[in-house]
Amino acid sequence: PRSKWSNGPRSPRLARYVAAMTTPIGRLLERRWLRFALAGLLTMLPAGPQARAVTHESPEVLELVEKGLAFLDGKTDERLGGKCLVGLAYKKAGRAANHPQIAAAVSACQSSLGEAAGEKYIYGKALAVIFLSELDADRHRTLIEKYGALLDAHRKPHGGYGYTSDPLGDTSQTQYAALASWEMLQTGLRPDGAAMAACANWLLRTQSPEGAW
C-alpha cells in the first residue's frame, strides 16, 4: 500500500525518514505514546561524559540568589503570603532569624490570623504554615497549628481544595494545602490522614492524560 509520505519531492534527509517510517517498527513509532515511551527508555541508558551539573550550591546559582535578595531588600508586600515568601527566601539563603525581612514575616503571621481566617483563598494561610515550619517549628508550633486549622475551610467533599465561595476544587490552591500539610508532617504535627488521602486521590483523578493538571 502507498504510504501517506509517498507523494511529492523529497530531500535526501526526508527520504531516509520516510523509508524508516514505512517499516513496521517505523509505523509503530508514529504513535505518539510509543515515541514518548522510547524517549523515556533512551534517557535511562548509560551516557558518556556529561557536563557539570548545576546545583543550588553552584557559584552561578548563589550569585543569582544574592541578586534576588538584593532586589528584595527593603521591599515589602501587603499580603501575608507575600511577606512569608520574602521571609522564606532569606531564611533559605541562610540569613539569621532576626533579619528584618524574616522578622517582618513572623510579625505578619502573628498579627494576621484573624484577617486570614476570612480570606476566600488559601495562599496566605498555607504560606504561613510553610514559612513558620521552615523557620522554627518548635518555637512557632501553636501558630502553625492555628493556621493549619484554617486550611479545613477550603477542603471540598471531593478531596481537593479551593476558594471558600466555590464548590469546585482548584489545583493551584490544592498544591499549597498539600505542601503545607507535608511541612506540618516534617515538624511532627499530624494533619488529618483521611483528608490527605482524599486530596491525593483528587489529584490523581484530575490529572490529564498528558500528565498536567
Side-chain angles (χ1 to χ4, degrees):
R2 291 174 59 83
S3 166
K4 64 180 180 179
W5 305 98
S6 61
N7 294 323
R10 304 172 186 153
S11 68
R13 186 176 181 181
L14 177 59
R16 288 194 297 272
Y17 175 75
V18 171
M21 285 296 102
T22 52
T23 63
I25 187 64
R27 287 194 294 272
L28 279 175
L29 289 176
E30 287 188 276
R31 300 181 183 181
R32 182 184 300 178
W33 69 271
L34 281 174
R35 295 201 301 272
F36 287 166
L38 179 60
L41 287 173
L42 290 175
T43 63
M44 299 170 64
L45 295 176
Q50 296 186 8
R52 177 178 60 86
V54 176
T55 73
H56 67 284
E57 296 178 338
S58 298
E60 56 266 46
V61 175
L62 295 176
E63 181 182 357
L64 290 173
V65 169
E66 291 303 317
K67 287 182 177 178
L69 295 179
F71 173 80
L72 292 171
D73 192 34
K75 293 182 173 64
T76 188
D77 190 296
E78 296 303 317
R79 298 164 296 179
L80 171 63
K83 288 184 170 66
C84 288
L85 279 176
V86 172
L88 185 60
Y90 281 89
K91 194 280 173 187
K92 288 287 191 178
R95 300 303 194 268
N98 63 354
H99 187 282
Q101 292 285 36
I102 296 178
V106 171
S107 178
C109 290
Q110 293 170 338
S111 63
S112 302
L113 186 64
E115 181 181 350
E119 291 177 344
K120 295 181 179 181
Y121 50 85
I122 203 170
Y123 303 114
K125 307 163 193 179
L127 283 166
V129 171
I130 294 165
F131 167 67
L132 295 172
S133 298
E134 290 280 348
L135 180 62
D136 190 335
D138 291 333
R139 181 176 182 180
H140 301 293
R141 182 168 295 270
T142 299
L143 199 52
I144 292 171
E145 290 178 326
K146 288 180 179 179
Y147 274 105
L150 296 181
L151 304 182
D152 291 342
H154 298 268
R155 190 167 70 240
K156 308 303 177 183
H158 49 60
Y161 290 73
Y163 293 95
T164 55
S165 57
D166 191 339
L168 299 177
D170 182 317
T171 305
S172 176
Q173 294 188 75
T174 299
Q175 68 174 330
Y176 276 84
L179 181 54
S181 299
W182 182 86
E183 288 280 4
M184 293 171 69
L185 280 170
Q186 308 316 300
T187 68
L189 296 174
R190 291 291 178 265
D192 187 320
M196 290 300 94
C199 177
N201 285 327
W202 184 80
L203 287 170
L204 288 171
R205 293 195 306 272
T206 56
Q207 186 179 16
S208 73
E210 291 78 17
W213 279 266

Coordinates of all heavy atoms in Angstrom, one line a residue, residues 57-120:
E57 N 24.1 24.9 45.1 CA 25.3 25.4 45.7 C 26.3 25.9 44.6 O 27.4 26.3 45.0 CB 25.9 24.3 46.6 CG 25.1 23.9 47.8 CD 25.7 22.8 48.6 OE1 26.6 22.1 48.0 OE2 25.4 22.6 49.8
S58 N 25.9 25.8 43.4 CA 26.8 26.2 42.3 C 27.0 27.7 42.4 O 26.1 28.5 42.7 CB 26.3 25.9 40.9 OG 26.1 24.5 40.8
P59 N 28.3 28.2 42.1 CA 28.5 29.7 42.3 C 27.6 30.5 41.5 O 27.2 31.6 42.0 CB 30.0 29.8 41.7 CG 30.6 28.4 42.0 CD 29.5 27.4 41.8
E60 N 27.3 30.1 40.2 CA 26.4 30.9 39.4 C 25.0 31.0 40.0 O 24.3 32.0 39.9 CB 26.3 30.4 38.0 CG 25.9 29.0 37.9 CD 27.1 28.0 37.8 OE1 28.0 28.1 38.6 OE2 27.0 27.1 36.9
V61 N 24.5 29.9 40.7 CA 23.2 29.9 41.3 C 23.2 30.8 42.6 O 22.3 31.6 42.8 CB 22.8 28.5 41.7 CG1 21.5 28.5 42.5 CG2 22.6 27.6 40.5
L62 N 24.3 30.7 43.4 CA 24.4 31.5 44.6 C 24.5 33.0 44.2 O 23.9 33.9 44.9 CB 25.7 31.1 45.3 CG 25.7 29.7 45.9 CD1 27.0 29.4 46.6 CD2 24.5 29.6 46.9
E63 N 25.1 33.3 43.1 CA 25.2 34.7 42.6 C 23.8 35.2 42.3 O 23.4 36.4 42.6 CB 26.1 34.8 41.4 CG 26.2 36.2 40.9 CD 27.1 36.3 39.6 OE1 27.7 35.3 39.2 OE2 27.3 37.4 39.1
L64 N 23.0 34.4 41.6 CA 21.6 34.8 41.3 C 20.8 35.0 42.5 O 20.0 35.9 42.6 CB 21.0 33.7 40.4 CG 21.5 33.6 38.9 CD1 20.9 32.4 38.2 CD2 21.2 34.9 38.2
V65 N 21.0 34.1 43.5 CA 20.2 34.2 44.7 C 20.5 35.6 45.4 O 19.6 36.3 45.9 CB 20.5 33.0 45.7 CG1 20.0 33.3 47.1 CG2 20.0 31.7 45.1
E66 N 21.8 35.9 45.5 CA 22.2 37.1 46.1 C 21.6 38.3 45.4 O 21.2 39.3 46.0 CB 23.7 37.2 46.2 CG 24.3 36.2 47.2 CD 23.8 36.4 48.6 OE1 23.6 37.5 49.1 OE2 23.5 35.3 49.3
K67 N 21.6 38.3 44.1 CA 21.0 39.4 43.3 C 19.5 39.5 43.6 O 19.0 40.6 43.7 CB 21.2 39.1 41.8 CG 22.6 39.4 41.3 CD 22.8 39.1 39.8 CE 24.2 39.4 39.4 NZ 24.3 39.2 37.9
G68 N 18.8 38.3 43.7 CA 17.4 38.4 44.1 C 17.2 38.9 45.4 O 16.2 39.8 45.6
L69 N 18.0 38.6 46.4 CA 17.8 39.1 47.8 C 18.1 40.6 47.8 O 17.4 41.4 48.5 CB 18.8 38.4 48.7 CG 18.5 36.9 49.0 CD1 19.5 36.3 49.9 CD2 17.0 36.7 49.5
A70 N 19.1 41.0 47.0 CA 19.4 42.5 47.0 C 18.2 43.2 46.4 O 17.9 44.4 46.8 CB 20.6 42.7 46.1
F71 N 17.5 42.6 45.4 CA 16.3 43.3 44.9 C 15.2 43.4 45.9 O 14.5 44.4 46.0 CB 15.9 42.5 43.7 CG 14.5 42.9 43.1 CD1 14.5 44.0 42.3 CD2 13.4 42.3 43.4 CE1 13.2 44.5 41.8 CE2 12.1 42.7 43.0 CZ 12.1 43.8 42.1
L72 N 15.1 42.3 46.7 CA 14.0 42.3 47.7 C 14.3 43.2 49.0 O 13.4 43.5 49.7 CB 13.8 40.9 48.2 CG 13.2 39.9 47.2 CD1 13.2 38.5 47.7 CD2 11.8 40.3 46.8
D73 N 15.6 43.5 49.2 CA 16.0 44.2 50.4 C 15.2 45.6 50.4 O 15.2 46.4 49.5 CB 17.5 44.5 50.3 CG 18.0 45.0 51.7 OD1 17.5 44.6 52.7 OD2 18.9 45.8 51.7
G74 N 14.5 45.7 51.6 CA 13.8 47.0 51.8 C 12.4 47.0 51.2 O 11.7 47.9 51.4
K75 N 12.1 46.0 50.4 CA 10.8 45.9 49.8 C 9.8 45.1 50.6 O 10.2 44.3 51.5 CB 10.8 45.3 48.4 CG 11.6 46.2 47.4 CD 11.6 45.6 46.0 CE 12.2 46.5 45.0 NZ 13.6 46.8 45.3
T76 N 8.5 45.3 50.4 CA 7.5 44.6 51.2 C 6.3 44.2 50.3 O 6.3 44.7 49.1 CB 7.1 45.4 52.4 OG1 6.2 44.5 53.2 CG2 6.2 46.6 52.0
D77 N 5.4 43.4 50.8 CA 4.2 43.1 50.1 C 3.1 43.2 51.2 O 3.3 42.8 52.3 CB 4.3 41.7 49.6 CG 3.1 41.3 48.6 OD1 2.0 41.3 49.1 OD2 3.4 41.1 47.5
E78 N 2.0 43.7 50.8 CA 0.9 44.0 51.7 C 0.2 42.6 52.1 O -0.4 42.6 53.2 CB -0.2 44.9 51.1 CG 0.4 46.3 50.9 CD 0.9 46.9 52.1 OE1 0.3 46.8 53.2 OE2 2.0 47.6 52.0
R79 N 0.4 41.6 51.3 CA -0.3 40.3 51.6 C 0.5 39.5 52.6 O 1.8 39.5 52.5 CB -0.6 39.6 50.3 CG -1.5 40.3 49.4 CD -1.4 39.7 48.0 NE -0.1 39.9 47.4 CZ 0.3 39.4 46.2 NH1 -0.6 38.8 45.4 NH2 1.5 39.6 45.7
L80 N -0.1 38.7 53.4 CA 0.5 37.8 54.3 C 1.4 36.8 53.6 O 2.6 36.6 53.9 CB -0.5 37.1 55.2 CG 0.0 35.9 56.0 CD1 1.0 36.4 57.1 CD2 -1.1 35.2 56.7
G81 N 0.8 36.2 52.5 CA 1.6 35.3 51.7 C 2.8 35.9 51.1 O 3.9 35.2 51.0
G82 N 2.7 37.1 50.6 CA 3.9 37.8 50.0 C 5.0 38.0 51.1 O 6.2 37.7 50.8
K83 N 4.6 38.4 52.2 CA 5.6 38.6 53.3 C 6.3 37.3 53.7 O 7.5 37.2 53.9 CB 5.0 39.2 54.5 CG 4.6 40.7 54.4 CD 4.0 41.2 55.7 CE 3.9 42.8 55.6 NZ 2.9 43.2 54.6
C84 N 5.5 36.2 53.7 CA 6.1 34.9 54.1 C 7.0 34.4 53.0 O 8.1 33.8 53.3 CB 4.9 33.9 54.2 SG 4.0 34.1 55.8
L85 N 6.7 34.7 51.7 CA 7.6 34.2 50.6 C 8.9 35.0 50.7 O 10.0 34.4 50.5 CB 6.9 34.5 49.3 CG 5.9 33.4 48.8 CD1 5.3 33.8 47.5 CD2 6.6 32.1 48.6
V86 N 8.9 36.3 51.0 CA 10.1 37.1 51.1 C 10.9 36.6 52.3 O 12.1 36.4 52.1 CB 9.8 38.6 51.2 CG1 11.0 39.4 51.5 CG2 9.1 39.1 49.9
G87 N 10.3 36.4 53.4 CA 11.0 35.9 54.6 C 11.6 34.5 54.3 O 12.7 34.3 54.8
L88 N 10.9 33.7 53.6 CA 11.4 32.3 53.4 C 12.6 32.4 52.4 O 13.5 31.6 52.6 CB 10.2 31.5 52.7 CG 10.5 30.0 52.5 CD1 10.8 29.3 53.8 CD2 9.4 29.4 51.8
A89 N 12.6 33.3 51.5 CA 13.8 33.4 50.6 C 15.0 33.8 51.4 O 16.1 33.2 51.2 CB 13.5 34.5 49.6
Y90 N 14.9 34.7 52.4 CA 16.1 35.0 53.2 C 16.4 33.8 54.1 O 17.6 33.6 54.3 CB 15.8 36.3 54.0 CG 15.9 37.5 53.2 CD1 14.8 38.0 52.5 CD2 17.1 38.2 53.1 CE1 14.9 39.2 51.8 CE2 17.2 39.4 52.4 CZ 16.1 39.8 51.7 OH 16.3 41.0 50.9
K91 N 15.4 33.1 54.6 CA 15.8 32.0 55.5 C 16.5 30.9 54.8 O 17.5 30.4 55.2 CB 14.4 31.5 56.1 CG 14.6 30.5 57.3 CD 15.0 29.1 56.9 CE 15.3 28.3 58.1 NZ 15.8 26.9 57.7
K92 N 16.0 30.6 53.5 CA 16.6 29.6 52.7 C 18.0 29.9 52.3 O 18.8 29.1 52.0 CB 15.7 29.3 51.5 CG 14.4 28.6 51.8 CD 14.7 27.1 52.1 CE 13.4 26.3 52.2 NZ 13.7 24.9 52.4
A93 N 18.3 31.2 52.3 CA 19.6 31.7 51.9 C 20.6 31.8 53.1 O 21.7 32.2 52.9 CB 19.5 33.1 51.2
G94 N 20.1 31.3 54.2 CA 21.0 31.2 55.4 C 21.0 32.5 56.3 O 21.9 32.6 57.1
R95 N 20.1 33.4 56.1 CA 20.1 34.6 56.9 C 19.6 34.3 58.3 O 18.8 33.3 58.5 CB 19.3 35.7 56.3 CG 19.7 36.2 54.9 CD 21.2 36.6 54.9 NE 21.5 37.4 53.7 CZ 22.0 36.8 52.6 NH1 22.3 35.5 52.6 NH2 22.3 37.6 51.6
A96 N 20.0 35.0 59.3 CA 19.6 34.8 60.7 C 18.2 35.1 60.9 O 17.6 35.9 60.1 CB 20.5 35.7 61.6
A97 N 17.6 34.5 61.9 CA 16.2 34.7 62.2 C 15.8 36.1 62.5 O 14.6 36.5 62.4 CB 15.7 33.8 63.3
N98 N 16.8 36.9 62.9 CA 16.5 38.3 63.3 C 16.6 39.3 62.1 O 16.6 40.5 62.3 CB 17.3 38.8 64.4 CG 18.8 38.7 64.1 OD1 19.2 38.3 63.1 ND2 19.6 39.2 65.1
H99 N 16.8 38.7 60.9 CA 16.9 39.5 59.7 C 15.6 40.3 59.6 O 14.5 39.8 59.8 CB 17.2 38.7 58.5 CG 17.4 39.5 57.2 ND1 16.4 40.1 56.5 CD2 18.6 39.8 56.6 CE1 16.9 40.7 55.5 NE2 18.3 40.6 55.5
P100 N 15.7 41.6 59.2 CA 14.4 42.4 59.1 C 13.3 41.8 58.3 O 12.1 41.9 58.7 CB 14.9 43.7 58.5 CG 16.4 43.8 58.9 CD 16.9 42.4 58.9
Q101 N 13.6 41.2 57.2 CA 12.6 40.6 56.3 C 12.0 39.4 57.0 O 10.8 39.1 56.8 CB 13.1 40.3 54.9 CG 13.5 41.5 54.1 CD 12.3 42.2 53.5 OE1 11.3 42.3 54.2 NE2 12.4 42.8 52.3
I102 N 12.8 38.6 57.6 CA 12.3 37.4 58.3 C 11.4 37.8 59.5 O 10.3 37.3 59.7 CB 13.4 36.5 58.8 CG1 14.2 35.9 57.5 CG2 12.9 35.3 59.6 CD1 15.4 35.1 57.9
A103 N 11.9 38.8 60.3 CA 11.2 39.3 61.4 C 9.9 39.9 61.0 O 8.8 39.7 61.7 CB 12.0 40.3 62.2
A104 N 9.9 40.6 59.9 CA 8.6 41.2 59.4 C 7.6 40.1 59.0 O 6.4 40.3 59.2 CB 8.9 42.1 58.2
A105 N 8.1 39.0 58.4 CA 7.2 37.9 58.1 C 6.6 37.3 59.3 O 5.4 36.9 59.4 CB 7.9 36.9 57.2
V106 N 7.4 37.1 60.3 CA 6.9 36.5 61.6 C 5.9 37.4 62.2 O 4.8 37.0 62.7 CB 8.1 36.3 62.6 CG1 7.6 35.9 64.0 CG2 9.0 35.2 62.1
S107 N 6.2 38.7 62.2 CA 5.2 39.6 62.8 C 3.9 39.6 62.1 O 2.8 39.7 62.7 CB 5.8 41.1 62.8 OG 4.9 42.0 63.2
A108 N 3.9 39.5 60.7 CA 2.7 39.4 59.9 C 1.9 38.2 60.3 O 0.7 38.2 60.4 CB 3.1 39.5 58.5
C109 N 2.6 37.1 60.5 CA 1.9 35.8 60.8 C 1.2 36.0 62.2 O 0.1 35.5 62.4 CB 2.9 34.7 60.9 SG 3.5 34.2 59.3
Q110 N 1.9 36.6 63.1 CA 1.3 36.8 64.4 C 0.1 37.7 64.5 O -0.8 37.5 65.3 CB 2.4 37.3 65.4 CG 3.5 36.3 65.6 CD 4.7 36.9 66.3 OE1 4.9 38.1 66.3 NE2 5.5 36.1 67.0
S111 N 0.1 38.7 63.6 CA -1.0 39.7 63.6 C -2.1 39.5 62.6 O -3.1 40.2 62.7 CB -0.4 41.1 63.4 OG 0.2 41.2 62.1
S112 N -1.9 38.5 61.7 CA -2.9 38.4 60.6 C -3.8 37.2 60.7 O -4.5 36.9 59.8 CB -2.1 38.3 59.3 OG -1.3 39.5 59.1
L113 N -3.8 36.5 61.8 CA -4.5 35.2 61.9 C -6.0 35.5 61.7 O -6.7 34.8 60.9 CB -4.3 34.6 63.2 CG -4.9 33.2 63.4 CD1 -4.3 32.2 62.5 CD2 -4.7 32.7 64.9
G114 N -6.6 36.5 62.4 CA -8.0 36.8 62.3 C -8.4 37.2 60.9 O -9.4 36.8 60.3
E115 N -7.6 38.1 60.3 CA -7.8 38.5 58.9 C -7.7 37.4 57.9 O -8.6 37.3 57.0 CB -6.9 39.6 58.5 CG -7.1 40.2 57.1 CD -6.0 41.3 56.8 OE1 -5.3 41.7 57.7 OE2 -6.0 41.7 55.6
A116 N -6.7 36.5 58.1 CA -6.6 35.4 57.2 C -7.7 34.5 57.2 O -8.1 33.8 56.2 CB -5.3 34.7 57.5
A117 N -8.3 34.3 58.4 CA -9.4 33.4 58.5 C -10.6 33.8 57.6 O -11.4 32.9 57.2 CB -9.9 33.3 60.0
G118 N -10.7 35.0 57.3 CA -11.9 35.5 56.5 C -11.6 35.5 55.0 O -12.4 35.8 54.2
E119 N -10.3 35.2 54.6 CA -10.0 35.2 53.2 C -10.5 34.0 52.5 O -10.6 32.9 53.0 CB -8.4 35.3 53.0 CG -7.8 36.6 53.5 CD -6.3 36.5 53.4 OE1 -5.7 35.4 53.3 OE2 -5.7 37.6 53.5
K120 N -11.0 34.3 51.2 CA -11.6 33.2 50.4 C -10.5 32.3 49.8 O -10.9 31.1 49.4 CB -12.5 33.8 49.3 CG -13.7 34.5 49.8 CD -14.5 35.1 48.7 CE -15.7 35.8 49.2 NZ -16.6 36.3 48.1

